[in-house]
Amino acid sequence: MPPERPGAVVRLDAVLVPVLAIATALALGGVILWAAGPRFEGSYLGIGFVAEAYLSLLEGAFGSRAAIVDTTLRTVPYVFSGLAVMLAFRGGLFNIGAEGQLTVGALAAAWAGFSLDLPAIIHLPVVLAAGCLAGAVWGGVAGLLKARTGAHEVITTIMLNYIGGQLASYLLNGPLRDRSPLNVIAQTPKIAEGARLPDLLPGLHAGVLLAGIVAMVTWFIVWKTTTGFELRMVGANADAAAYAGVNVVRRMTWALGVSGLLAGLAGAVQVAGVNYRSTLGFNIGYGFDSIAIALLGRNTVSGVVLSSVLFAALRTGATKLQFRTQVSADIISVIQALVLLLVAAEQIVRWLYRLRAADAVTQAPEDGATAAIPPSPAGGEG
Amino acid sequence: MSPIESHERTTTPNDLRQSARSAPIPSGTRGTGDPTFLLEARHLTKRYGPVIANRDVSFAVRPGEIVALLGENGAGKSTLMNVLYGMTVPDAGELAIDGKVVRLRSPRDALARGIGMVHQHFMLVPPFTVAENVALGNEPSRRGAIDIATVEARVASLASRFGIDVDPRAIVRDLSVGQQQRVEIVKALDRGARVLILDEPTAVLTPQEAEGLFRVLRGLAADGTAIVFISHKLGEVLSLAHRIVVMRRGAVVGEVLPEDATAESLAAMMVGREVMLRVDKSPSTPTEDRIVVRDLRVAGDHGGVAVDGVSFAVRAGEIVGIAGVQGNGQTELVEAISGLRPTAGGTLSLVGVEAHGLDVRARSMAGLAHVPEDRQRHGLVLPFSVADNLVLNRYHLPPLAQRGVRQARAIVAVARDLVARFDIRTPSPEVPVQALSGGNKQKVIIARELSHGLRALVAAQPTRGVDVGSIEFIHRSLVDARDAGAAVLVVSAELDELLSIADRILVMYRGRIVGEVPGSEATREGIGLFMAGGGGATQGSPPAGFAREDDVHYVN
Amino acid sequence: MKSRRELILALGAVPILAACGGEAAAPAKAEPTKAPAAAAPTTAAAAPTKAPEPTKAPAAAAPTAAPAKVLKVGLVTDVGKVDDKSFNESAWNGAKKGAADVKGESKYVETQNPNDYKKNIQQFISEKYDIIVTVGFLLGEATIEAAKANPGIKFIGVDQFQEKAVENLAGLIFEEDKAGYMVGALAALYSKAGKVGAVLATDVVPPVWRFGEGFRAGAKASKPGVDIQIVYHSDVGPEKTFDDPEWGKATALSMIDKGVDVIFGAGGKTGNGALYGVADRKDKGVVAIGVDTDQWNTVPEAKAVLLSSGMKIIDQGVADIIKAVSENKFKGGNVLGKVGLAPFHDLDSKVDAAVKTKLEEIRKGLDGGTIKTDVKPAKG
Amino acid sequence: MTRGRFLFVLACIGALVAAVETLRSPDVSAAVVAASMLATTLRFATPLTLGALAGMFCERSGVANIAIEGMMLSAAFGAFIVAAMTRSLAAGVVAGMVVGATMALLHAWLSVTLRVDQIVSGTVINIMAAGVTGFLSTEVVRRKAIEGAGLLPAWRVPVLSDLPVVGPIFQQQPIAWATLALVIGAHFVLFRTVWGLRVRAVGELPRAAHAAGISVQQTRYAAVMVGGAIAGIGGAYFTLEAVPVFEPMMTNGRGFIALAALIFGGWTPAGAWVASLLFAAANALHINAQQFGIPVPSQIVGMFPYVLTIVILAGAIGRVTPPAAVGQPYVPD
């Protein structure tokens, strides 16, 4: 088990490995692009094609003001859902259910946005709170089941994703559907003007600010408060936490509940800042992406934020890459999978680059004492 | 012993037993190359990071010989044994079987060469039957399917031959600890073990069960099996072994024949100096009741009653020890008192307050401290810093936290103070506690628990796996806590520990208190009788029907 | 290419293409513009002779437009691929053809996630494309928004009905209910067992629902008492409902087990699955009807059992609008595309003349407004 | 699977059939409906059962597998493309198994050798399978205009398949038959063979298996790869038995329903099969009810397997116990 507070050497290492993982994944992606490109036409080797592909990816993500705005907008929900997964990880829990929590969060936020008639100053907070609450319930159910019955949260959150999808399908075709005769889509009506996030800059809603604030608050809670201390204690050694007087049942439920809250907030911010409504099928793919983001970010807040930017940039730039090269945008998923693979199995990266392993604190097994503490799901480097 | 013979013996182990040897056991030697050695370790060294677990260890055993490997917890016995069994590959040195150097890369290699092992933590798959467990790794099959009937027959035959009572079709999960140990022995014999290594086999047994085990082992030895018996209990080593090898701090420090040794001389070899048997302390002056248990009942992990109507009181200013073989309900009792485990009946009051409904935190706030039995699992959060571990029970209180926000400066200040007061050897309070040695880890716990508003203390196995220096320090701390007016309840499997520090000793057997002895009058023998469920001459009477129950399980 | 010729030849023989214009059945009151010249109702007489060989088409189109610069046509798919054998593919074919006809160039971007609609459209805007085709009603909102913000660019929204006409946006819409009605009529008239079935993607998606309910209405009207089995794949979300051929096949087989002998498969790959299912039981004399395009061309595995397809002529509709742009005849608003039945191909001989006559009557009735499908634009 | 849960399942299936029977239209005989529902159920159950068996071998050895979906999807693609290239369906099935086993090898390498968290490893495989098959189906299948090699022909049981009503049940395609054989085979392998005993031991208490001379790593590799090969057959089902094409994401979440079936069935082959049948029967009911014009709450049908799995996990209808060591990498020493 790696120490929580790494020394300076390890900290450098914690940055180096993800960076090398990303570089390696991009290199491998380049090989795939090269293979898919027009490499055998005349003397053309196709290297230029790969370069063009990546340049267009970069340009698509950061090449213009609009591109930067788009990348930023995409970063926002990733930050929330990535933090959601990270927070659960810190509590030793694996939240695969960000997608379902995000879905119900969006539903609740949209409902609060179109059905309530409130003054603007409280309507927006109510909308966001509704999303948080719904997400918290969806995550909290898994937490409660884990804490009370031992039902593994990985399984229950997967199942809750599907149940959330069906719930959305039911609500968006039934009670919450936009009944205007012109609407033919399974979606809610648009939310009230007062319930929308204001724009900071043209096209860039205030959710960006919120994401920054929430990231800082999350950092503060996890690392500076007693609650966060309990969370990390439960994550590192639930038995010791119970012994130290932590109510483990409550803390686990809390962890998945707050994790769900953050994911629900992601959904609510998309509703209040981007779509202004909840539409069936708009929340696909966040679940697995957020796991990748949390892992790539080493379960640290700053890591999550940076990884979110990376994933958002990949997704944003994909359009231009596809447009320029007419290569399937699935290449982005391949690159993401490679990044995740190399971050998760960092031995590969270390082996590739001959990095010295972080000084693992090894110790002799003590007679009579079984150090049979199962590893926490995520490598818990600070 | 020629290689061919050795091969044959490996495949048909019973040959050897049938030609049971009765030759006198040759006297011990640490020299190498003796052709009569069945298994020999030469100059083994094994390191774990900076820790040297085995340093140039040489060790050997002959057929039909019972060799005891004696040493304290942490002396390197388990590492040596793991090397002998192929579970650990040594950094240096070699193993020889029948005089030939072998490399054991896995237990499979060891088993193939006739080395069997009974682990302290049983290697039995709970949902499997006895026969399936015995078969595992050496399964006979017929037309693709396991021929379990053959294994059942083999188990039955081995069992009857060595007087071991096991039902081959029983599910292991349902067996008692003693029975499971027998399954382990049968398993090893079934694999054709010529060398049987037993790791602390009596730790989980009553003295009577242990005596039964010894009979089995003597029978096996008479039959030609070489037995390596790992223990830190002097008495059983003296009574059982033909030869005693003593280890200390990873190295072999001596080798003696039992007839040349006394308990005192062995102890001196083990610890490197005379053991201070009694902690220097004044007579206790108990005052009011702090921990009062009345007719307490607690459920065990797998249903069943672990604590079955226990009543006692611990007063301020005294140390009460609870003796007993592990697994007689002590763990559950301690967990019930500390609030980790719900009670199933009876009452419990702490510091004058009815504890029912109070959670761990509330009890802790009321002044109850708890040194847990398993410090790795319960006592410490290994990846956290020493400082965080030193405040694990008070992190939420001012000045360590203000309105839910932790105060780093205050935490470090407290930590520095405790590190100094309790002589915790750590480079800084910021390093992860997992970097510390076992004794220093335990000191972290002791420091944390004894350093604040202490009114009652429950300490379970407070010195397990701790070096001698730390043991003295810990014992001193417990007595000091008593003298400062705390009620101290010490649960220990080490009788000597209780004899040296407790003012009163209660003995637990099968979930009940079966005897109480004042510390000053206690003897090993008297308490040992209680521990075995036998009536005591001093006081108290055995629970009704204990004798009958006792003999239901094992027929030796 | 071969397909088009055959299609049109067949139309000559069996003029059952319902090219519905005018006020007939637009979902709401807005007035659809008539499809531009080339999209005018194909008549029995005109079609075979005028059908241009596509290879020659550019030559014919060039003199009319002769644009100074190359017209750039961009297409954004709905979630899916341009080779989906369904509406994305059809629209892409139309865009390619339309661009080729006017010597322009065409490019596509495949959408991977609904959140990318805006961005993918934006890609073509920033590359200064002249015409942007967006496929699928889910892109409607994003397309309107983009059109309003970029008045200099012409937009074509396939399956996108517009409440208020946007000047530079042509919403190419189809009356799937009428196509479904004709399919239903064909199925009911053809069925010997008196049992017809439809295997559809989710009823949450309006065009699918209109196909299904049109099918019901058409079958019921043409042969009262016919057993109509309609099964929607609504138990999965919209992201999966079009991509589940295994389900489509199993559903078709379940219908065949119960004696259904004509099955309409509508709903992307899920509908294709139904065609595969029917092909699997071809020894039983069961036939299938495809959807969107003439699936005799796109699902070769089902050729032998494919009776017809309920078509939305997306490709021609898109190509025609592109042509209109090049000729400066573009007009915003709803443009009603043509729907109709594809030729019977291999099974032509098995369809009675009486059935063909009856279908032609129905086409005229739908066209002229004397037959109403009474299908609402969307469920609920 | 406990007796109580088994009876619960039987009751569910009975209720499903009864529901259709009572509400069906008068001109279709009850026997026809029952036979048709059974046929549909068996068909839907095939990939679920295969997926669940795949997960079972994996998890019984102590390696959690949430990557059944990814393994099946990549195998579906591999089977399709090899069959199309070689024009041999048998080669396609073999290729499916090889691809499935290869993905499993990756899973084993990551989670057994490198000790990457098993859930993370599964996530990697799922994301990678979706990306790679999507990419290749565009860049290879589309660009080279590859056409499928058709479908595996049905195998008919001589006399029974000609019976009027129940005939269709006895004319299943090879993978459907193989699935039934695999359920029995998996049960035999797991509970009656030496290897099965070792797999279970490694999944329950790996140090005991290690101490008994069994290589935990090798056993886990083998079990995970056997599971992967079975998932590969499940993948081949999609492209060689159900439909003659490959479509991106065509497994459509069935790997996760299979996971649910595995859990619901208590990690036993028979249980997983029964659970797969139950979940498949719910889908069959959904289809059949609509055929008879009965409105069905589709979302409820869609939720059914997932809700049931949560209920089971929470211990409401009997309790399931996962293999004790599942999810934990084995660190000898």
Side-chain angles (χ1 to χ4, degrees), chain B residues 127-137 139 148 151 168, chain D residues 191 197 200:
Chain B
F128 284 14
T129 65
V130 168
E132 282 175 331
N133 267 295
V134 170
L136 193 62
E139 309 87 344
I148 206 72
V151 185
Chain D
F191 295 111
L197 184 80
R200 287 186 289 133

Side-chain angles (χ1 to χ4, degrees), chain D residues 96 111 185 187 217 283:
Chain D
S111 52
H187 181 88
Q217 298 220 345
N283 284 316

Side-chain angles (χ1 to χ4, degrees), chain B residues 113-131:
Chain B
R113 291 178 166 85
I115 301 172
M117 174 149 165
V118 175
H119 298 263
Q120 187 177 6
H121 303 280
F122 298 148
M123 299 292 188
L124 298 172
V125 184
F128 284 14
T129 65
V130 168

